Amino acid sequence: MRIGILGSGLMGGKLGTIFARAGHDVVFSYARREQKLKRLAREAQGNARAGTPVEAARDADALLLAVHWSRVDDVLKQAGDVSGKVILTCSIPMNADDSGLVIAHTSSGAEELAKKVRGAHVVSAFGTVPSEVLFGVFAAKRKAKRPSLVYCGDDSGPKELAAGLIRDVGFDPVDAGPLRIARYLEPFTLLIGQLAYEGDGGPELAYRFEWFGRKE
Ligand SMILES: NC(=O)c1ccc[n+]([C@@H]2O[C@H](COP(=O)([O-])OP(=O)(O)OC[C@H]3O[C@@H](n4cnc5c(N)ncnc54)[C@H](OP(=O)(O)O)[C@@H]3O)[C@@H](O)[C@H]2O)c1
């Protein structure tokens, strides 16, 4: 698949690198310095290149939105027309100092994003784990028990695409339902952040749901 990365920081840089190593074509975009995008593309050791947001979006089968909530409007403006595109968002609607959610309970960042990009297919994915765990999960991909990763969205085709990419990274995708479930998924991320950054175990944290009694 062709994947455009909108926001090449901790999340976008690592996920883009993993997507490239998993065999996808990746365009890294939106960092403050072009040199950084070029370095990410070089070090991804796959089919990856640096580009502008509009180049990342142009032929993409999927876009990963991975910017701070305060940068969403800017990166979307730079990406141009994204109607018809699948947009995976890991962006959590945090306030400026990342101390709390600016949207919650009655809506979610993912739903507000979907209103901004009507005509695109928004899937909330990858936002529930810290960036620090991503390479470890990818490296452990062959192990029988994979960590879970919840995702949600309203359209089945785009959700299947998301589930495939989630598997490519090394997680077991857990379909949490329609996009409005992001209202629960996004606060859950703050719990994960608390455990990862304030707990004793360090930030390389993933989670796994178990259905007792379910026949495998
Ligand atoms: N980090 C995590 O573990 C984590 C986990 C779950 C969800 N999330 C969510 O994922 C999203 C991305 O988080 P992140 O930690 O990856 O953020 P980040 O490391 O700050 O990355 C954001 C990217 O946006 C770029 N950027 C910021 N301002 C810009 C500007 N004015 N012009 C051009 N580029 C600009 C940054 O450029 P530079 O590279 O030059 O800084 C960076 O590449 C956030 O919404 C966050 O809530 C993060």
Side-chain angles (χ1 to χ4, degrees):
M1 266 192 295
R2 288 164 301 196
I3 303 173
I5 306 293
L6 300 176
S8 298
L10 291 171
M11 292 298 281
K14 287 176 186 168
L15 284 168
T17 298
I18 291 170
F19 294 149
R21 290 183 187 167
H24 300 291
D25 285 0
V26 171
V27 179
F28 289 100
S29 79
Y30 202 71
R32 276 166 280 223
R33 286 171 302 113
E34 199 195 353
Q35 277 312 106
K36 179 184 180 181
L37 299 173
K38 287 186 171 160
R39 178 176 55 74
L40 279 168
R42 207 170 45 244
E43 292 177 358
Q45 301 158 5
N47 273 334
R49 63 187 171 85
T52 61
V54 82
E55 286 165 351
R58 190 172 295 137
D59 297 317
D61 300 301
L63 288 165
L64 175 73
L65 182 72
V67 294
H68 191 272
W69 188 248
S70 58
R71 307 303 315 170
V72 168
D73 288 338
D74 185 52
V75 74
L76 288 177
K77 195 170 145 212
Q78 291 194 33
D81 182 13
V82 290
S83 51
K85 301 283 181 195
V86 175
I87 303 182
L88 309 179
T89 179
C90 69
S91 296
I92 307 295
M94 301 300 287
N95 58 12
D97 66 3
D98 286 323
S99 60
L101 292 166
V102 292
I103 300 163
H105 303 301
T106 54
S107 188
S108 59
E111 289 165 277
E112 295 308 308
L113 171 66
K115 289 180 199 162
K116 292 175 192 285
V117 292
R118 289 190 194 281
H121 309 282
V122 173
V123 179
S124 174
F126 295 112
T128 52
V129 287
S131 70
E132 286 86 346
V133 83
L134 294 169
F135 283 133
V137 170
F138 185 59
K141 210 175 147 176
R142 307 271 164 242
K143 289 194 179 154
K145 280 204 170 180
R146 291 173 160 217
S148 305
L149 194 97
V150 285
Y151 68 106
C152 63
D154 289 335
D155 307 309
S156 58
K159 284 177 78 173
E160 272 171 41
L161 182 155
L165 289 174
I166 290 168
R167 274 189 208 96
D168 286 345
V169 178
F171 293 98
D172 186 12
V174 175
D175 184 352
L179 197 64
R180 67 180 163 76
I181 302 302
R183 295 173 196 187
Y184 313 140
L185 183 155
E186 291 170 4
F188 170 71
T189 297
L190 274 67
L191 169 66
I192 296 293
Q194 171 70 18
L195 296 173
Y197 301 116
E198 305 298 332
D200 295 333
E204 289 180 46
L205 173 71
Y207 56 90
R208 182 177 161 78
F209 296 117
E210 302 257 3
W211 276 264
F212 283 76
R214 184 171 74 174
K215 293 194 173 62
E216 294 297 333

